[in-house]
Each structure stands twice: as C-alpha cells, then as structure tokens.
C-alpha cells in the first residue's frame, strides 16, 4: 500500500521527510519506507500523523474521503 495522502499532507505543510522522522522519533529512511509503501505503517505512527494533521487514520489510509477527524471522547 502506498501512502499518497501522508506524502501529500507532508508536502502541503512544507515538511521534509527528515522533519517527520524527528517528530515521530524515527529515521528519515524509515519514514521514507512508510511513505513509499515499502513498509506497513504501525498504528501508533499513523495515529501520531493523523493528530499532527488534524485528520483521521481512515483518511490517511484511503478508507474515507472525509478529511475532518472524528470527535474525541
């Protein structure tokens, strides 16, 4: 699975893969593997990315077109 939305959101926010690696506490290379679909993104990482961009994990993985996050309990 290629994570196109993760890349698009990163670029839309003028962030580099290195910036994302630092935010997620992983290497730039590991992040690039996720973004390119070479490795599955762990749920914890997807959750942090969704929180950063104010969206849902479902949006990131193309399960919905709705960018707005779910309400928090």
């Amino acid at each position: 699975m290629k994570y196109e939305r993760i890349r698009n959101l990163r670029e839309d926010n003028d962030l580099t893969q290195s910036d994302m690696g630092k935010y997620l506490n992983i290497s730039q290379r590991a992040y690039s593997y996720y973004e390119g679909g070479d490795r599955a993104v762990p749920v914890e990482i997807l959750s942090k990315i969704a929180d950063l961009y104010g969206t849902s994990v479902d949006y990131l993985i193309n399960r919905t077109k709705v960018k707005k996050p779910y309400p928090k309990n």
Side-chain angles (χ1 to χ4, degrees):
M1 168 188 251
K2 193 167 182 179
Y3 296 92
E4 222 171 277
R5 287 187 173 162
I6 292 173
R7 185 193 74 231
N8 291 339
L9 285 166
R10 176 183 59 78
E11 291 174 348
D12 290 348
N13 285 276
D14 296 323
L15 296 170
T16 64
Q17 288 184 344
S18 183
D19 294 332
M20 290 302 297
K22 288 175 189 170
Y23 172 74
L24 298 167
N25 201 28
I26 60 174
S27 69
Q28 176 274 326
R29 177 168 280 174
Y31 181 81
S32 73
Y33 288 147
Y34 296 152
E35 201 172 89
D38 298 317
R39 289 189 187 157
V41 183
V43 173
E44 299 83 16
I45 298 287
L46 283 171
S47 183
K48 283 184 81 170
I49 294 170
D51 288 345
L52 175 66
Y53 296 129
T55 192
S56 69
V57 171
D58 281 349
Y59 177 79
L60 296 178
I61 63 172
N62 292 313
R63 290 189 68 188
T64 183
K65 293 181 182 180
V66 178
K67 199 172 184 178
K68 186 177 177 183
Y70 302 118
K72 300 218 183 222
N73 293 336

